[in-house]
Amino acid sequence: MCGIVGYIGEKNVYSILVKGLQRLEYRGYDSAGICIANSGLKVYKKKGKVSELESFVASKDIHGSIGIGHTRWATHGEPNDLNAHPHTSMNGHFVLVHNGIIENYAELKKDLSEKGMVFHTDTDTEVLANLIEYYYQQEEVDSAEMAVRVALTKVVGAYGIVVLCNDEPEKMIAARMGSPLVIGIGQGEYFLASDASPIVEYTDSVIYMNDGDVAILEKNSMLLKTVENSAANFKVTKLDLSIGDLDKGDFEHYMLKEIFEQPKTISDTYRGRINPEKNDIVLGGLIDVWDQITAANRIIIIGCGTSWHAALVAEYLIEEYARVPVEVEYASEFRYRKPIIGKGDVVVAISQSGETADTLAALKMAKEKGALILGICNVVGSSIARETDAGVYTHAGTEIGVASTKAFTAQVTVLTLFAFKLAHKKEKIDQQTYELFIEEMLAIPDKVQSILLGHPKIKEVAEKYSEAINALYLGRGYLFPVALEGALKLKEISYIHAEGYAAGEMKHGPIALVDDNLPVVVVSAQDSYYEKVVSNIQEVKARKGNIIAVVTEEDNGLREMANDLFEIPCSHPAVASLLTVVPLQLFAYYIALMRGCDVDQPRNLAKSVTVE
Ligand code: M6R
């Protein structure tokens, strides 16, 4: 949440900042702003998207080669010009951009107000700017860097900040605690950003800052220390990202591009992990911890949103095939509900971004209690990936659309491989079943491709329902999480109220919603729940609900009852979630498009939720 970019070097900073902000816009798009150091610190900021900032600065002085920028997702204070970042300290000595939340800001603000400092905004960030300035004015503080470090020792909360000081305009100071910051290393220049997307165009040499790090950057030098003023450990790494990954290509939206990438992202995710010659699954990242995993009393899987839905699929798989008890928890609940965890538990944290604050905090809590912590993340080097004992990356590539699509299928791919491998290791499935599962997984990309080819039909159906006010999504077994995911996709990008339900639960309440205006999306496959689902749908039919059914080619029950059909190829039920979710992603996409919604940047949302 919130995107930060910074540059110090010889280049024209304005274009680096604006391009960077456009790439980071998926992290927040309430307002945007920049500060350029050029005979003083010039700040320009505007409510709305980066394009509005661009129009606003068109007539302004934007020369300079040092600067910082920010795109905001509002936490403290409504999204308006005043609350937009960068924020300037009372006497104009410091300008800073911030991602995160200063939890003790009210207390600090009161204290600073009593000391005579004046505030103009509702933000926690302005408090930090004034706090730095307050220490800068103290006799024992001899530099901007020291003022930043001292101020940060008084702060409770999460931050990624980049600071410019009027008196030291050739310097950029950055600090991280809980909110990511990446330093890009060029020739006589440095870049700073919340993720690598603004940097990749200029250099592939980066440092992921650690919590507690402070970086002091000048054109030709970099000093990394801790807030306590000792030397910091860091590692220069090579980016595994290309500029092409960040383009929409020929697609109208990132979300559509990402949906269509799934045949590739699923196979990229299992490539190198399935050995078809040896009929085996090898998860390299778990090699050293399999003994602990196979000996586990139970597996707890945590995540948020779509990642939580992927976790639910895993619960069905692991319990059915590996016979290990699994609990799936919302990270935001798990971290606060004093759960009983200890040695012998395995906690798996699932996160596309690897930065979700609740998931990160929940895993840290479980780690302290002695559980083995595994991670399934998409973003390499992300905070969650770095906190875990072991893990497996999904190889979905950069996901920019706020609605998660390819990340979900990549997560389910990893979790399915994990479940099959665990079942095999624990001798709960025989070699023949193991090999059948591997074959089924290898067949998924082509099957997804064939579903994607059917997109015109899905678009046609979407047109029929684009004016709906509510929608119900039903599924059972492996396809219950898919119903939840389908409903989440629809509500987050089209703003239609949609609920996902276990089909068997419908008669306990949601059936009251059914009338001839309600679209009811039923997700089915040829599995052991099929007949039960058919009976549940009879109940919808009897009440004149509009049935949109995801069915397999072999279906000969639901298709008779449905008003509209999305047909998918047959598969083993254990991998059916990877297929059934695809028409639902496209359905949500087309409906949002027809309703004129901002598909890639839906209102109130941000891609990476780094606040709780
Ligand atoms: O990056 P994460 O997977 O941890 O993100 C979790 C959720 O914020 C995310 O899945 C969110 O629900 C998406 N917008 C869903 O499309």
Side-chain angles (χ1 to χ4, degrees), residues 208-407:
Y208 292 95
M209 287 178 71
N210 291 312
D211 278 349
D213 282 358
V214 178
I216 301 102
L217 305 173
E218 295 183 56
K219 279 179 196 168
N220 289 305
S221 73
M222 176 185 70
L223 190 60
L224 258 170
K225 46 169 76 171
T226 66
V227 173
E228 293 81 25
N229 204 22
S230 40
N233 293 323
F234 65 89
K235 204 168 93 195
V236 178
T237 49
K238 289 270 163 232
L239 276 181
D240 181 21
L241 179 71
S242 80
I243 192 83
D245 296 339
L246 307 172
D247 267 359
K248 275 198 286 238
D250 294 334
F251 291 91
E252 198 178 340
H253 292 100
Y254 282 108
M255 181 181 178
L256 192 62
K257 175 188 176 224
E258 287 157 7
I259 292 171
F260 273 81
E261 277 174 349
Q262 290 176 109
K264 178 168 184 304
T265 51
I266 292 170
S267 59
D268 284 351
T269 297
Y270 69 56
R271 183 171 310 118
R273 291 163 175 166
I274 291 183
N275 182 336
E277 272 110 61
K278 292 197 179 145
N279 281 316
D280 197 10
I281 295 167
V282 181
L283 298 173
L286 302 183
I287 282 175
D288 296 338
V289 291
W290 270 119
D291 287 349
Q292 275 167 278
I293 299 171
T294 49
N297 303 325
R298 61 176 176 160
I299 297 174
I300 301 165
I301 315 181
I302 54 174
C304 301
T306 289
S307 298
W308 184 78
H309 297 155
L312 285 178
V313 176
E315 178 178 28
Y316 282 88
L317 283 167
I318 297 169
E319 292 209 340
E320 178 167 352
Y321 295 110
R323 310 301 296 152
V324 180
V326 176
E327 284 169 33
V328 173
E329 299 252 10
Y330 284 120
S332 53
E333 287 296 310
F334 185 69
R335 62 181 289 198
Y336 287 119
R337 72 166 184 81
K338 306 201 171 34
I340 302 163
I341 340 164
K343 287 201 169 45
D345 287 327
V346 171
V347 173
V348 185
I350 306 183
S351 175
Q352 185 287 127
S353 60
E355 301 295 347
T356 301
D358 284 319
T359 311
L360 183 60
L363 84 78
K364 283 183 180 165
M365 183 265 284
K367 196 172 182 177
E368 266 166 31
K369 293 184 187 299
L372 174 73
I373 311 293
L374 308 181
I376 296 178
C377 295
N378 193 41
V379 178
V380 177
S382 55
S383 304
I384 293 176
R386 287 191 292 160
E387 276 293 330
T388 54
D389 297 311
V392 184
Y393 279 115
T394 51
H395 291 158
T398 309
E399 190 180 66
I400 293 175
V402 166
S404 215
T405 52
K406 62 176 182 171

Side-chain angles (χ1 to χ4, degrees), residues 533-589:
V533 173
V534 172
S535 310
N536 299 142
I537 298 311
Q538 297 280 15
E539 295 155 13
V540 175
K541 187 86 190 157
R543 285 156 187 87
K544 299 196 168 41
N546 291 297
I547 299 162
I548 304 156
V550 179
V551 294
T552 64
E553 294 152 344
E554 282 177 3
D555 177 280
N556 56 17
L558 277 172
R559 71 171 64 234
E560 307 303 322
M561 294 153 61
N563 302 63
D564 293 287
L565 284 181
F566 300 144
E567 217 170 68
I568 57 158
C570 292
S571 69
H572 191 282
V575 293
S577 57
L578 288 166
L579 302 178
T580 46
V581 74
V582 177
L584 303 187
Q585 296 168 342
L586 284 168
F587 184 57
Y589 170 77

Side-chain angles (χ1 to χ4, degrees), residues 359-578:
T359 311
L360 183 60
L363 84 78
K364 283 183 180 165
M365 183 265 284
K367 196 172 182 177
E368 266 166 31
K369 293 184 187 299
L372 174 73
I373 311 293
L374 308 181
I376 296 178
C377 295
N378 193 41
V379 178
V380 177
S382 55
S383 304
I384 293 176
R386 287 191 292 160
E387 276 293 330
T388 54
D389 297 311
V392 184
Y393 279 115
T394 51
H395 291 158
T398 309
E399 190 180 66
I400 293 175
V402 166
S404 215
T405 52
K406 62 176 182 171
F408 174 77
T409 46
Q411 289 166 343
V412 172
T413 300
V414 167
L415 289 160
T416 307
L417 297 182
F418 175 80
F420 294 163
K421 181 74 183 179
L422 182 61
H424 190 243
K425 271 192 173 286
K426 289 181 81 81
E427 298 179 1
K428 301 290 182 191
I429 55 171
D430 58 22
Q431 184 63 23
Q432 205 185 341
T433 313
Y434 187 51
E435 288 179 16
L436 168 77
F437 284 160
I438 290 175
E439 251 173 57
E440 286 284 335
M441 182 54 93
L442 292 172
I444 290 291
D446 285 347
K447 292 181 183 178
V448 171
Q449 189 61 48
S450 76
I451 298 169
L452 293 171
L453 288 174
H455 70 276
K457 168 78 194 304
I458 300 172
K459 191 173 181 182
E460 243 171 63
V461 178
E463 211 157 297
K464 267 175 82 177
Y465 296 100
S466 63
E467 300 297 322
I469 296 167
N470 295 298
L472 197 58
Y473 283 67
L474 303 173
R476 293 185 86 135
Y478 293 105
L479 304 182
F480 162 49
V482 174
L484 295 177
E485 176 60 8
L488 177 61
K489 288 296 86 102
L490 187 69
K491 79 182 117 188
E492 73 180 322
I493 60 168
S494 76
Y495 319 140
I496 294 176
H497 168 238
E499 284 196 50
Y501 251 89
E505 273 293 297
M506 191 189 52
K507 54 189 171 296
H508 300 289
I511 198 163
L513 296 171
V514 178
D515 63 15
D516 56 1
N517 282 320
L518 185 78
V520 179
V521 180
V522 52
V523 197
S524 79
Q526 299 309 121
D527 57 18
S528 58
Y529 300 90
Y530 181 75
E531 297 303 333
K532 306 274 176 218
V533 173
V534 172
S535 310
N536 299 142
I537 298 311
Q538 297 280 15
E539 295 155 13
V540 175
K541 187 86 190 157
R543 285 156 187 87
K544 299 196 168 41
N546 291 297
I547 299 162
I548 304 156
V550 179
V551 294
T552 64
E553 294 152 344
E554 282 177 3
D555 177 280
N556 56 17
L558 277 172
R559 71 171 64 234
E560 307 303 322
M561 294 153 61
N563 302 63
D564 293 287
L565 284 181
F566 300 144
E567 217 170 68
I568 57 158
C570 292
S571 69
H572 191 282
V575 293
S577 57
L578 288 166

Side-chain angles (χ1 to χ4, degrees), residues 77-281:
E78 66 171 283
N80 58 24
D81 292 354
L82 200 62
N83 289 332
H85 295 218
H87 285 282
T88 307
S89 62
M90 189 178 101
N91 296 318
H93 284 112
F94 291 91
V95 173
L96 71 95
V97 288
H98 167 220
N99 172 20
I101 290 184
I102 308 299
E103 286 169 14
N104 59 338
Y105 87 103
E107 200 182 300
L108 293 170
K109 191 170 182 172
K110 183 167 173 277
D111 196 36
L112 291 170
S113 303
E114 281 164 10
K115 291 185 165 98
M117 298 207 87
V118 178
F119 295 84
H120 303 284
T121 78
D122 307 320
T123 65
D124 51 342
T125 305
E126 189 190 18
V127 176
L128 182 55
N130 276 351
L131 187 69
I132 295 171
E133 186 164 272
Y134 170 77
Y135 284 108
Y136 189 58
Q137 287 160 355
Q138 306 305 303
E139 223 171 276
E140 62 280 14
V141 172
D142 59 10
S143 65
E145 170 224 319
M146 191 172 174
V148 170
R149 282 192 293 98
V150 176
L152 291 178
T153 62
K154 312 291 174 198
V155 159
V156 178
Y159 53 79
I161 55 167
V162 188
V163 187
L164 296 177
C165 176
N166 216 351
D167 298 332
E168 301 177 38
E170 302 287 307
K171 225 176 244 179
M172 198 158 75
I173 303 164
R176 173 198 157 129
M177 178 59 75
S179 301
L181 274 181
V182 190
I183 302 173
I185 306 167
Q187 296 287 331
E189 60 184 359
Y190 291 95
F191 302 82
L192 262 163
S194 299
D195 66 40
S197 60
I199 297 176
V200 60
E201 190 173 340
Y202 310 100
T203 176
D204 63 355
S205 216
V206 297
I207 295 169
Y208 292 95
M209 287 178 71
N210 291 312
D211 278 349
D213 282 358
V214 178
I216 301 102
L217 305 173
E218 295 183 56
K219 279 179 196 168
N220 289 305
S221 73
M222 176 185 70
L223 190 60
L224 258 170
K225 46 169 76 171
T226 66
V227 173
E228 293 81 25
N229 204 22
S230 40
N233 293 323
F234 65 89
K235 204 168 93 195
V236 178
T237 49
K238 289 270 163 232
L239 276 181
D240 181 21
L241 179 71
S242 80
I243 192 83
D245 296 339
L246 307 172
D247 267 359
K248 275 198 286 238
D250 294 334
F251 291 91
E252 198 178 340
H253 292 100
Y254 282 108
M255 181 181 178
L256 192 62
K257 175 188 176 224
E258 287 157 7
I259 292 171
F260 273 81
E261 277 174 349
Q262 290 176 109
K264 178 168 184 304
T265 51
I266 292 170
S267 59
D268 284 351
T269 297
Y270 69 56
R271 183 171 310 118
R273 291 163 175 166
I274 291 183
N275 182 336
E277 272 110 61
K278 292 197 179 145
N279 281 316
D280 197 10
I281 295 167

